[in-house]
Amino acid sequence: LAQVFSCFEDSVPPHFRQTPVSTTTPTNQPEHQQQKQQQKDRSRLPAPNHQPPPAMAAPGESQVVAGDTAWVLTSSAFVLLMTPGLAFFYGGLVKEQNVLNTMMMSLISMGVVSISWMLLGFSLAFGDGGGQIVGDFDYFGMQGMLDMEGGVWPGTGLPPLVFAVFQMTFAVIGCAIISGSIVERMHFGAFTVFITLWSLVVYAPIAHWIWGPGGWIEELGAKDFAGGAVVHESTAVSALTLAWLLGPRSERGEDQAHNVAFVILGGSLLWFGWSGFNGGSALAADGTAALALINSYQAAASCLVTWMLIERIFRKRWSAIGAVTGAVVGLVIITPAAGFVSTIGAFAMGIIGAMLVYPFFQFTSRIDDSLDTFPCHGISGFFGTMLTGCFAMEGGLFYGGGFKLLLAQFVASMAVAAYAAFMSTIIFLFIKFVMRTRVHKDWEDAGLDELVHGESAYVHSPTKSYSSPTKSTHANQESDSSTSESEASTSNV
């Protein structure tokens, strides 16, 4: 084979050529040694399926990696799908006369935040000329994104616009998360203005601190793989702040999910979308993406099972909503650590996280956090960030790294929480100065779907009887009379 290969040596590309191998076997060796030598000679030849190594791109040529680009494009679609998933998750938990209003708060985030991100948000988050606190205006309106060296975003094999749209989906889902604390009582217009300003004033600077070039938390050494602090902590603290400023609902205490099937559907879509949320944050189709993916699944699974066992022990039931909540909590906990910990570490984080977070869902606070957004995303995000400091394979406490990383994680969490709470208060007070932020009590009692959107989620929705908060007593009497006649007729039958 070596002799045949040498006949075609001149026609073989240079990177296939190897140092000539001597195939002459001394005749004075035993036969078994001759066979062994021939096998050794064959092993030095190129394998039949050997592929040439990738050539380095010449200056001015594209450095885009097709596989990485395809994976991050797919991940962007996954993460965008999480927002409709969140809409179903939240929509199933509220009263049926508020389901459309609740779901629309997620849908409007896909609209206004996508625009604000394209115009200014991305530049504030990832511009490299603004220093350690915030970016600059170099990428305003996506300017200059097509003129980068090699046609890729620095440090990746991705076209800059692919990187930008992937990061945009994080901002969208983050703003949608906020709605969980203020549903059934905040004006839809006021909420729309709030998330537009919040995406620029709160989210973009925090993203720059941790992920942007030269951000001060990144320089501190903190780790946040996919947004435990950037997305979940910042949104949850802002949501809790809004809930406190708005005040409690008029009918607080009557919480009961109107459609558990919606909750299961929404939670399943969130779990599916998290494949891109964490897996895509590797920004490449490589081993880190695979590690993040399996870690996400294992943490969600272990947290779900642990959560159900806790509910079985203390509440004597196997709750469907509890199972979905446990999975989401596990996914939030693993988010900052997905690409930094081992798979067994992710499994342990899910179990530990369920035991740490579950008690916070049992507390009754004076602040009316309608759908438990703060414990689900804020508390879980904090514990996930801190557990990253323990389980990270590089620098983690359990891997001999000492307390340096753990301290950096704590500082990052506290800084994000303080900034998000302060700026959310400023934004809310500004909006309250120029427009009404909370709906009238009559509207709140009647339900917001028909009054705000002129539509109902169900054909026979109870909101039909609340078409106006100023409905006359005569109309109510007629409704009561017709109901009595219907009941009497049914009794006769």
Side-chain angles (χ1 to χ4, degrees):
L1 290 176
Q3 292 175 353
V4 171
F5 184 79
S6 64
C7 294
F8 297 96
E9 186 175 4
D10 294 337
S11 62
V12 175
H15 50 258
F16 269 99
R17 299 176 187 172
Q18 297 188 358
T19 304
V21 180
S22 174
T23 59
T24 305
T25 304
T27 55
N28 58 351
Q29 290 184 352
E31 183 178 354
H32 71 277
Q33 291 186 6
Q34 294 180 24
Q35 294 176 351
K36 189 174 182 179
Q37 181 64 34
Q38 290 174 358
Q39 292 175 356
K40 185 185 296 186
D41 292 342
R42 293 193 199 100
S43 67
R44 295 176 184 175
L45 296 175
N49 295 325
H50 175 76
Q51 297 295 325
M56 295 296 293
E61 293 184 4
S62 174
Q63 299 176 11
V64 172
V65 179
D68 295 352
T69 303
W71 169 235
V72 177
L73 282 171
T74 304
S75 297
S76 301
F78 283 6
V79 181
L80 188 65
L81 183 63
M82 291 175 69
T83 302
L86 185 72
F88 276 102
F89 183 71
Y90 281 171
L93 292 170
V94 299
K95 300 174 185 176
E96 61 181 293
Q97 59 263 38
N98 293 313
V99 59
L100 289 185
N101 182 258
T102 299
M103 298 180 77
M104 279 295 295
M105 286 184 169
S106 294
L107 185 61
I108 194 62
S109 178
M110 298 173 70
V112 296
V113 178
S114 296
I115 296 172
S116 67
W117 185 257
M118 180 272 295
L119 290 175
L120 187 58
F122 179 79
S123 189
L124 293 177
F126 293 97
D128 59 1
Q132 295 184 325
I133 304 301
V134 71
D136 52 26
F137 300 98
D138 286 350
Y139 304 130
F140 178 82
M142 298 287 123
Q143 295 184 40
M145 297 292 283
L146 300 177
D147 303 327
M148 292 188 175
E149 183 179 354
V152 297
W153 184 257
T156 73
L158 307 174
L161 290 177
V162 173
F163 177 79
V165 76
F166 179 67
Q167 296 297 337
M168 179 197 75
T169 59
F170 282 66
V172 169
I173 184 69
C175 291
I177 289 172
I178 295 175
S179 67
S181 290
I182 50 83
V183 293
E184 301 184 319
R185 63 191 187 278
M186 188 170 185
H187 259 296
F188 185 76
F191 175 77
T192 303
V193 175
F194 178 86
I195 60 174
T196 303
L197 296 176
W198 187 90
S199 67
L200 300 174
V201 179
V202 179
Y203 181 83
I206 291 176
H208 184 81
W209 295 355
I210 299 178
W211 292 337
W216 72 271
I217 292 181
E218 181 189 29
E219 298 291 334
L220 189 65
K223 295 179 179 291
D224 189 356
F225 187 78
V230 175
V231 178
H232 295 290
E233 285 191 57
S234 66
T235 57
V237 171
S238 297
L240 187 69
T241 304
L242 269 187
W244 170 62
L245 293 170
L246 277 174
R249 290 164 292 173
S250 61
E251 297 182 359
R252 185 186 182 187
E254 301 180 11
D255 301 334
Q256 184 174 0
H258 91 279
N259 193 325
V260 178
F262 272 16
V263 178
I264 296 174
L265 173 62
S268 301
L269 289 174
L270 287 172
W271 194 338
F272 175 82
W274 235 293
S275 303
F277 196 94
N278 288 351
S281 292
L283 301 179
D286 58 9
T288 302
L291 179 65
L293 200 62
I294 191 172
N295 285 351
S296 300
Y297 294 164
Q298 289 301 313
S302 62
C303 191
L304 182 154
V305 173
T306 305
W307 197 280
M308 292 187 70
L309 290 174
I310 293 173
E311 285 206 325
R312 178 60 183 167
I313 294 171
F314 292 101
R315 308 186 71 174
K316 309 302 180 185
R317 66 182 187 182
W318 303 98
S319 168
I321 293 179
V324 176
T325 302
V328 173
V329 167
L331 289 164
V332 174
I333 286 173
I334 197 59
T335 292
F340 300 134
V341 302
S342 66
T343 303
I344 194 66
F347 174 79
M349 287 178 66
I351 296 174
I352 296 171
M355 294 187 290
L356 292 175
V357 176
Y358 182 85
F360 288 90
F361 278 81
Q362 314 311 314
F363 294 155
T364 301
S365 171
R366 293 183 179 180
I367 301 176
D368 185 9
D369 181 6
S370 307
L371 305 181
D372 291 324
T373 301
F374 183 71
C376 186
H377 296 274
I379 300 299
S380 301
F382 172 75
F383 282 130
T385 300
M386 298 307 295
L387 288 172
T388 303
C390 298
F391 284 94
M393 292 182 287
E394 294 184 8
L397 178 64
F398 298 158
Y399 287 82
F403 291 91
K404 182 179 179 180
L405 177 58
L406 197 62
L407 179 61
Q409 299 294 97
F410 180 78
V411 172
S413 292
M414 293 299 101
V416 167
Y419 180 78
F422 176 75
M423 292 307 302
S424 296
T425 302
I426 298 299
I427 296 171
F428 177 84
L429 293 178
F430 168 75
I431 295 174
K432 188 176 182 179
F433 180 75
V434 298
M435 64 189 300
R436 189 179 183 89
T437 56
R438 180 165 180 159
V439 300
H440 294 281
K441 184 179 183 302
D442 292 339
W443 286 34
E444 189 176 337
D445 294 339
L448 302 179
D449 285 358
E450 290 194 352
L451 295 172
V452 176
H453 305 286
E455 299 165 314
S456 175
Y458 306 101
V459 176
H460 301 292
S461 171
T463 55
K464 295 289 185 181
S465 62
Y466 297 111
S467 59
S468 171
T470 59
K471 195 175 239 185
S472 65
T473 304
H474 178 67
N476 289 332
Q477 291 175 349
E478 289 182 350
S479 176
D480 294 340
S481 176
S482 64
T483 302
S484 299
E485 292 176 1
S486 175
E487 291 176 351
S489 175
T490 303
S491 178
N492 292 335
V493 174

